[in-house]
Amino acid sequence: MSAKIQPPQLPKGTRDFYPEAERVQQYIFDTWRKVAEMFAYEAYEGPMFEHLDLFTGKSGDEIVSQLYNFTDKGGRDIALRPEMTPTLARLVIQKGRELRKPFKWYSMPRLFRYEKAQKGRLREFFQLNMDIIGTDSIYAEADLLAAIATMLRLLGLKDENFVIGVSSRKLLATYLEEIGVENPALVYPVLDKRLKIGPEAFAKALADANVSCEQVAKLDALMSCKTLDEVDALVAEDAAKNALNEMKELFNTLNAAGYADCVALDLSVVRGLAYYTGIVFEVFDRGKSMRAIAGGGRYDSLTEKLGGDRMPGVGFGMGDVVLADLLREYNLLPEMKQSVDFYIASFTNDMQKIFTVAEQFRKFATGEKYFAVSHPLSSMKMGKQMGEANGQGAKIVIYVDGDKASEGSFEFKDLRDGSMHIGSFEEIVNAL
Ligand code: HAM
């Protein structure tokens, strides 16, 4: 006898979506899409893999160390996309002047990062991306932050449940210069981990990046500021003042539009990715018990770094994993059962009649409106057919060969209240 074959295993850090889980997933996708379209963003897509060098050197060391990459049969170095922004930049460079600017695009890519799989972190996940390309205006940031707040509110979260923490790389960069930090690019990833790694590890990592104790204290002072006035008192340079004014206008605009309670200054937000140049932001649940729900910022030199012309951009990514965990925690994931409109049943197991009637109901589709029509796939007793209809969440069961119905009409049962009726196609459709 041959040895028993080991059944296939789910790869670490990935998920299966059985229909029950997939319904939840689709609910999240539908909400993402709805809000992106409410804010007039257009959908786009790209390939799931790219040339490796699109990511190396541009995204930041952390993401590069997490790449799934391989050499293909043609000897090309390829990576599964760990994020969407470099692909977007490539698309923008390719079409260049042809694109009417500014434009607002969204995408919901499947992404891959070789991470230590843990709560909120997987190796394969989905991420809503919304980006605005072709404007330096701070109102682009305002548009994106408003979209995030609208989305989370639509999903049922209250303003007291989440906060969009806003900071500015520009402010940080000028301040780093002001206090004499030599290599800011080395310092950002460390600052990004400030709250995650604890004070000792933080101080050590900064020391490794050549930041003196005095400079650490100064950085701490800035990152702990709670109001723009406090920052104002701390910074001297004009460039820092400019960054500050920009933030003031952003907050004033969002306050005026009704987002005051879910947007806050948070200079501890730095973002790990290398390409951010201006406003950066992260969205957290208030307890900060989880990873960021979303993160993003302005990246004005990414296209240039990739060999194109300068093209300002700003956007964010929102992952499905943390979001679903959060919604589950607040009991905000609606229970979604399978549901079909009509179940076509037959007392005599007349399959040809079943298929014919099912087709007629499907033909009733007009424009956006269509019906989900189900029926047995083999001969079975009526009791079993009713069991299937109930199990699939059918609203109405249509009997194709009930003896009480005259030509052109059918007996049907409304499973929502158990009532029996006789009616034509139109009457049945109207009963739905
Ligand atoms: P990111 O901060 O790397 O930014 O990711 C954004 C969000 O994606 C995170 O806040 C988190 O919700 C989710 N995420 C990231 N990694 C994982 C993971 N391993 N498992 C589950 N969820 C994850 C970016 O990716 C930028 N490209 C966003 C952006 C768009 N910036 C400008 N435009």
Side-chain angles (χ1 to χ4, degrees):
M1 239 177 70
S2 60
K4 200 161 177 259
I5 298 171
Q6 177 78 20
Q9 304 276 314
L10 175 74
K12 203 171 186 168
T14 67
R15 291 165 291 174
D16 290 323
F17 295 95
Y18 285 90
E20 212 179 320
E22 183 62 14
R23 284 196 285 275
V24 173
Q25 198 67 14
Q26 290 301 329
Y27 166 69
I28 289 175
F29 289 169
D30 287 348
T31 313
W32 280 353
R33 191 176 295 114
K34 191 194 282 179
V35 176
E37 289 178 2
M38 277 163 72
F39 279 78
Y41 287 66
E42 283 192 290
Y44 74 99
E45 245 296 6
M48 274 206 222
F49 56 84
E50 293 272 7
H51 290 288
L52 175 66
D53 60 10
L54 182 65
F55 304 112
T56 47
K58 288 97 189 171
S59 294
D61 292 343
E62 190 178 53
I63 278 203
V64 171
S65 71
Q66 296 167 342
L67 282 174
Y68 273 96
N69 57 307
F70 57 95
T71 308
D72 74 5
K73 293 191 173 84
R76 286 170 285 259
D77 288 328
I78 297 293
L80 300 186
R81 62 186 178 194
E83 58 157 335
M84 196 63 175
T85 317
T87 296
L88 172 60
R90 184 175 61 68
L91 263 61
V92 170
I93 293 169
Q94 272 167 209
K95 284 257 175 171
R97 284 174 223 279
E98 269 177 67
L99 297 165
R100 187 162 39 90
K101 288 172 246 352
F103 60 84
K104 312 201 291 185
W105 284 2
Y106 80 96
S107 196
M108 307 194 302
R110 191 187 276 259
L111 303 179
F112 308 86
R113 295 186 192 179
Y114 192 83
E115 299 220 38
K116 193 159 166 270
Q118 53 190 291
K119 191 169 164 56
R121 284 249 172 206
L122 293 176
R123 292 184 175 175
E124 184 195 44
F125 59 99
F126 293 89
Q127 191 193 61
L128 167 70
N129 278 249
M130 289 173 70
D131 288 85
I132 302 182
I133 304 292
T135 174
D136 293 310
S137 166
I138 192 71
Y139 303 110
E141 275 86 338
D143 194 68
L144 289 157
L145 298 192
I148 293 177
T150 302
M151 193 166 312
L152 297 179
R153 287 172 178 176
L154 201 67
L155 287 163
L157 289 165
K158 303 262 182 303
D159 287 6
E160 63 259 29
N161 299 142
F162 70 92
V163 61
I164 308 176
V166 182
S167 179
S168 164
R169 275 267 178 107
K170 222 189 275 174
L171 176 69
L172 205 58
T174 41
Y175 188 70
L176 285 171
E177 203 180 293
E178 212 173 297
I179 64 171
V181 170
E182 271 157 26
N183 197 344
L186 281 183
V187 178
Y188 293 136
V190 183
L191 296 182
D192 181 53
K193 294 203 176 68
R194 177 168 166 264
L195 298 174
K196 295 167 204 150
I197 59 178
E200 272 168 42
F202 178 63
K204 177 166 185 321
L206 279 179
D208 291 346
N210 267 340
V211 182
S212 70
C213 290
E214 200 188 325
Q215 288 165 331
V216 172
K218 284 186 174 159
L219 269 173
D220 245 341
L222 178 76
M223 290 173 87
S224 312
C225 285
K226 291 276 171 287
T227 64
L228 289 173
D229 289 338
E230 281 177 50
V231 184
D232 213 349
L234 209 67
V235 297
E237 294 275 325
D238 278 354
K241 298 276 182 204
N242 282 344
L244 219 89
N245 286 337
E246 208 179 58
M247 291 179 94
K248 276 188 189 148
E249 184 55 21
L250 174 61
F251 283 115
N252 289 342
T253 308
L254 289 169
N255 290 354
Y259 302 102
D261 293 338
C262 55
V263 183
L265 176 74
D266 183 351
L267 296 181
S268 72
V269 171
V270 180
R271 308 278 297 137
L273 294 162
Y275 48 66
Y276 294 114
T277 51
I279 294 287
V280 282
F281 50 90
E282 268 177 358
V283 187
F284 286 102
D285 77 305
R286 292 276 181 185
K288 281 210 179 182
S289 59
M290 296 193 201
R291 295 204 49 238
I293 307 160
R298 178 167 281 283
Y299 48 95
D300 285 346
S301 46
L302 182 57
T303 49
E304 235 170 345
K305 274 194 195 163
L306 290 168
D309 296 334
R310 177 184 179 276
M311 181 57 65
V314 54
F316 71 86
M318 178 184 290
D320 66 326
V321 184
V322 187
L323 181 63
D325 283 349
L326 185 73
L327 295 176
R328 210 167 285 119
E329 190 164 284
Y330 284 99
N331 243 331
L332 289 173
L333 283 179
E335 203 184 313
M336 282 165 288
K337 297 220 162 66
Q338 185 186 6
S339 127
V340 303
D341 296 314
F342 302 119
Y343 185 92
I344 317 290
S346 166
F347 292 101
T348 61
N349 289 300
D350 184 341
M351 293 308 287
Q352 293 187 5
K353 190 117 192 236
I354 285 177
F355 269 82
T356 311
V357 173
E359 173 57 14
Q360 282 166 318
F361 275 94
R362 291 193 186 108
K363 266 201 207 136
F364 258 89
T366 47
E368 294 282 289
K369 200 166 156 50
Y370 60 89
F371 302 117
V373 184
S374 180
H375 57 70
L377 292 172
S378 61
S379 297
M380 59 181 75
K381 296 220 167 76
M382 184 48 73
K384 190 120 187 267
Q385 294 181 54
M386 294 308 284
E388 279 200 344
N390 276 306
Q392 294 173 10
K395 296 189 185 95
I396 289 178
V397 176
I398 296 157
Y399 304 95
V400 295
D401 44 11
D403 53 17
K404 293 197 191 73
S406 53
E407 185 68 29
S409 61
F410 299 97
E411 284 177 39
F412 65 97
K413 182 173 188 174
D414 192 325
L415 292 185
R416 293 164 296 188
D417 61 8
S419 58
M420 287 295 301
H421 308 267
I422 295 174
S424 63
F425 276 109
E426 284 84 356
E427 284 163 340
I428 298 175
V429 165
N430 287 335
L432 201 64

